[in-house]
Amino acid sequence: MTGVRVALVPGVLAFLPEYAGQVDPVAEVRAASLAAAAWVGEAGPVTVVGDPQGTRVGRRLLAQSGAEEGAGSAYLVVANGSARRNDTAPGYVDERAVPFDDRVLAALAAPDPEALADLDVELAEALLVGHPAGLVRLGELLRGARTVGVDHVSDPFGVAYWVVRWEGPQP
Amino acid sequence: MDLRLGRHTFGPDQTLMMAIVNRTRDSFFDQGATYDEGPARERVRQVVEDGAEIVDIGGVRAGYGEVVDAAEEIRRVVPFVAWVREHHPGVVISVDTWRSEVAREVCAAGADLVNDAWGGHDPALVEVAAEFGAGIVCTHTGGLPPRTDPYRVEYDDVVAAAIAETTSLAERALAAGVPRESIVIDPAHDFGKNTFHSLEITRRLGEMVATGWPVLVSLSNKDFVGETLGAPPQERLTGTLAATSVCALAGARIYRVHQVRETRATVDMVWSIAGRRPPLRAIRALQ
């Protein structure tokens, strides 16, 4: 029996079918996110952790990957890093963004649940981080977990995207 | 409904650019620029590169001018159709002719579509299209004979007249054996019409689209644009594109044009505004 499965995907609105163009501008991160959603879905019904927009994105990924939404021992957390990483980013540049994202990514990769639980939410909001509360929640979910894979790290539009998978002990 | 033009099939939401290629000495816009074989071939190469799905080859000027009999029209057009068929197999070949004897020769040489710009003047034309599996364009001319200009023409309702004439031609084509998905209607701006008529046809094009027959519009640099804006033929592109936008919003499927790239961009933009075409690539505020 598998343990708890947790995956993090970014809340990219371009994942939603109502915003589909003819050319997919987020093909790589979409593929990684779909694979992660499918992987958590293998552990049974999946709880989506996200703000209202992120929840829409998470549900879409689950539906598209054939996973089922519901309470169980699988979690899809929809959150991402800063949207102020450079001067083409949606929030323009903030010098604090890259170091902040680096610290969060290190905590995700380790994983370091305490560092995530102690996330500076005020700074995260100033840096237009996607759903800081979701990252804080990861601090709870990842206690005793090990990292299965850091599948995707990119910032093609000045927004930090991470797709990471973890497995925890049986609940 | 899918659109089937000879060898080629297009989906129900696809718009098509039909590039004008004149094998004439005296057409109003290009003034004989592609009368000779070399420039005509170059024109086809260029419009195909520009994304035209259809080339509309014509051997006779629409308006008054030098006499071009069927034999001369065949000489101008048929070998050229064969050349296009051989060198550009991906493009739909349309031939602008009202003569069934010319249509027979061009269909045998590989034409996919017969553009009957003179609205059924030769009743045998649809039979040729049916026999060869070619598409047909049914045009409203208000009964005007080929190569004549309208003089003091009036209608109770020009749109109703255009719908009545084109759909009755379409039904006749259907009865003659042309498949429904290969029949197109064209209100024919300027043909048998004054500028007010052509403006009204443009404004009410949605009524033609509502007939369910795919609609072709031929607006390119025409006199109704020139008279509306006080612009000579070479300065009518902006007005042409404005009229194109209105027709695209109404749902016209085929655009007979001189300037392919400009019209394609205009139609794509309007088609997306109408919600019939997704943007090419959208990421703004969606990252």
Side-chain angles (χ1 to χ4, degrees):
Chain A
M1 185 180 166
T2 55
V4 175
R5 284 190 173 185
V6 182
L8 170 69
V9 295
V12 183
L13 284 187
F15 286 172
L16 297 172
E18 57 266 42
Y19 296 130
Q22 297 174 45
V23 175
D24 186 359
V26 289
E28 274 185 41
V29 65
R30 183 196 302 272
S33 300
L34 279 169
W39 180 79
V40 289
E42 287 168 14
V46 181
T47 303
V48 177
V49 177
D51 60 16
Q53 284 184 329
T55 301
R56 277 162 64 209
V57 170
R59 285 180 175 154
R60 170 67 186 170
L61 292 170
L62 290 179
Q64 225 181 332
S65 58
E68 193 190 332
E69 191 188 356
S73 56
Y75 296 87
L76 185 67
V77 179
V78 185
N80 52 261
S82 174
R84 309 193 71 169
R85 290 175 60 85
N86 56 45
D87 61 7
T88 63
Y92 198 60
V93 67
D94 186 314
E95 309 262 312
R96 298 169 297 176
V98 171
F100 175 89
D101 286 340
D102 287 349
R103 289 195 300 278
V104 176
L105 178 58
L108 295 169
D112 182 346
E114 278 168 31
L116 292 166
D118 290 343
L119 188 87
D120 183 341
V121 171
E122 201 175 318
L123 176 59
E125 277 168 1
L127 296 176
L128 303 182
V129 166
H131 197 41
L135 298 172
V136 172
R137 179 79 197 285
L138 273 175
E140 287 170 35
L141 294 172
L142 296 182
R143 281 195 196 111
R146 67 175 183 90
T147 303
V148 175
V150 177
D151 299 333
H152 182 94
V153 176
S154 71
D155 68 340
F157 313 108
V159 183
Y161 297 152
W162 307 304
V163 178
V164 189
R165 290 174 297 132
W166 302 271
E167 201 154 38
Q170 287 180 24
Chain B
M1 189 170 65
D2 278 358
L3 197 55
R4 183 149 62 85
L5 305 175
R7 298 156 181 79
H8 309 266
T9 302
F10 302 93
D13 257 353
Q14 211 175 338
T15 55
L16 307 176
M17 295 298 125
M18 173 192 255
I20 299 163
V21 182
N22 289 317
R23 301 305 311 279
T24 58
R25 273 193 275 258
D26 48 2
S27 286
F28 82 99
F29 187 70
D30 56 53
Q31 298 290 327
T34 54
Y35 174 70
D36 289 328
E37 192 86 7
R41 290 180 177 186
E42 171 55 23
R43 165 79 179 155
V44 172
R45 191 202 61 73
Q46 183 65 54
V47 297
V48 168
E49 185 186 308
D50 289 348
E53 288 83 4
I54 307 172
V55 290
D56 188 41
I57 300 164
V60 187
R61 173 189 153 96
Y64 294 104
E66 70 169 324
V67 173
V68 180
D69 62 16
E72 171 61 9
E73 189 181 356
I74 286 169
R75 187 197 69 78
R76 290 181 179 189
V77 170
V78 173
F80 190 63
V81 166
W83 180 87
V84 176
R85 178 86 282 141
E86 186 185 341
H87 291 87
H88 299 279
V91 76
V92 176
I93 301 175
S94 168
V95 174
D96 182 341
T97 188
W98 75 86
R99 293 174 171 134
S100 58
E101 63 264 48
V102 176
R104 174 168 296 282
E105 297 294 322
V106 296
C107 286
D112 300 294
L113 179 63
V114 179
N115 181 10
D116 183 13
W118 291 100
H121 181 76
D122 179 345
L125 203 65
V126 284
E127 286 154 28
V128 174
E131 182 184 335
F132 285 88
I136 183 105
V137 181
C138 302
T139 304
H140 173 256
T141 60
L144 208 62
R147 308 198 65 191
T148 59
D149 284 343
Y151 181 58
R152 297 183 178 173
V153 171
E154 292 192 293
Y155 299 90
D156 287 339
D157 181 336
V158 66
V159 176
I163 289 173
E165 185 177 328
T166 55
T167 58
S168 120
L169 288 169
E171 294 294 344
R172 214 182 74 198
L174 196 62
V178 181
R180 182 173 288 276
E181 66 268 25
S182 299
I183 300 170
V184 175
I185 62 172
D186 173 7
H189 288 71
D190 275 1
F191 279 57
K193 297 171 193 72
N194 63 37
T195 288
F196 296 91
H197 294 143
S198 293
L199 293 172
E200 185 169 357
I201 287 276
T202 308
R203 183 163 63 244
R204 295 172 55 194
L205 196 82
E207 294 174 42
M208 289 207 76
V209 173
T211 64
W213 297 101
V215 173
L216 177 152
V217 285
S218 181
L219 310 165
S220 200
N221 304 297
K222 278 187 170 171
D223 279 349
F224 83 98
V225 175
E227 288 196 351
T228 300
L229 299 180
Q234 301 306 321
E235 295 172 21
R236 296 176 182 174
L237 177 59
T238 310
T240 297
L241 296 178
T244 299
S245 295
V246 173
C247 292
L249 196 60
R253 297 279 300 281
I254 306 179
Y255 301 80
R256 183 176 180 274
V257 300
H258 298 102
Q259 291 103 335
V260 174
R261 279 181 187 275
E262 293 87 343
T263 314
R264 169 49 75 195
T266 301
V267 171
D268 280 354
M269 189 68 204
V270 175
W271 219 247
S272 292
I273 290 168
R276 305 183 198 115
R277 169 192 180 272
L280 185 62
R281 180 182 183 278
I283 194 61
R284 179 179 176 78
L286 298 172
Q287 304 97 326

